[in-house]
Amino acid sequence: MESENYELKRSINRFLALYSMAKDPVRVLVTGAAGQIGYALVPMIARGVMLGPDQPVILHMLDIEPAAEALTGVRMELVDAAFPLLRDVVVTTDVTVACKGVNIAVMVGGFPRKEGMERKDVMSKNVSIYKAQASALEKQAAPDCKVLVVANPANTNALILKEFAPSIPEKNITCLTRLDHNRALGQLSERLKIHVSEVKNVIIWGNHSSTQYPDVNHATVTPANGEEKPVRSVVADDNWLNTEFITTVQQRGAAIIKARKLSSALSAASAACDHIRDWVVGTPKGTWVSMGVYSDGSYGIQPGVIYSYPVTCDKGQWSIVQGLKIDDFSRQKMDATAKELVDEKTLAYSCLN
């Protein structure tokens, strides 16, 4: 029996290898590729975590000039890992070269806030970076390029990129709130002592910041051998769900920095793969995920900001889940995070001017 299973696995692997050779490779850009998140992300992409076990890829890795040697070291490791799906690696500090022909762009690079810096100083630095990268994507990327902004302030960086890459469809520019979504699922699974796959349909509304609203009002739990039930009824502790649960998810990034003296990298890279995979491949029926997308006014949120909504994905397109009931508690939280995004937009535009 054991030898039969081994031969079956070998046959499946041979089939996947042959099938992948027949598919055109997808060009995936990772900016800030020599950094923590980039270092965690590129092997996941090369292994097929982002686009599937049969999709060959060409990695484009971009970073700033002082990180050029480290970037070369990352390329060396990718070669040494001998990933079957990795067809080629482009390593550069030139944004024009990096963006040439890319089908997917994961924007990890940005300017982090340093001690003593004012909020406007950080915003000004990132506005400058994303304006330049938007211009390069506009001119060099594939026409259907899908963009995911990871670097903070992610929502507003994505908005700036959208403004300066007008030929890229607005539905193709998104930001990462899947990390917060996954954190919410993780907290619920730990609280209930169940596997995380048994929880679904949490929502992250708004900004990828401490004002985000992790909402469980429409989330459900489906035990392996049981019927689907609302999370609220299974947890049976509204006080925890309305207070500690929300703040834990909102402040999880800070807690990780305190614990490991470095920011979230592995979980952020994994969430970026989840975001792109569901966007490209599609979400399972009856399941939604959270994505920062360009607001169309749904749920009373002002159009013109990148806001995290519950979405479903099909055939490479996302759609905002409509018709969910919003209670007064949720309305207040959703509006508060929307106001922060409007304020960030105003600040970003003042930096442009």
Side-chain angles (χ1 to χ4, degrees), residues 251-273:
Q251 297 168 15
R252 186 68 163 183
I256 288 169
I257 290 172
K258 184 178 179 182
R260 66 185 296 261
K261 309 301 182 276
L262 294 165
S263 61
S264 308
L266 184 155
S267 56
S270 179
C273 289

Side-chain angles (χ1 to χ4, degrees), residues 12-26 52-58 83-87:
I12 291 170
N13 287 336
R14 279 198 298 269
F15 171 77
L16 288 172
L18 289 169
Y19 184 62
S20 70
M21 288 174 67
K23 297 182 79 171
D24 291 333
V26 171
D54 60 354
Q55 178 57 64
V57 294
I58 296 173
F83 293 111
L85 292 172
L86 186 59
R87 294 293 173 83

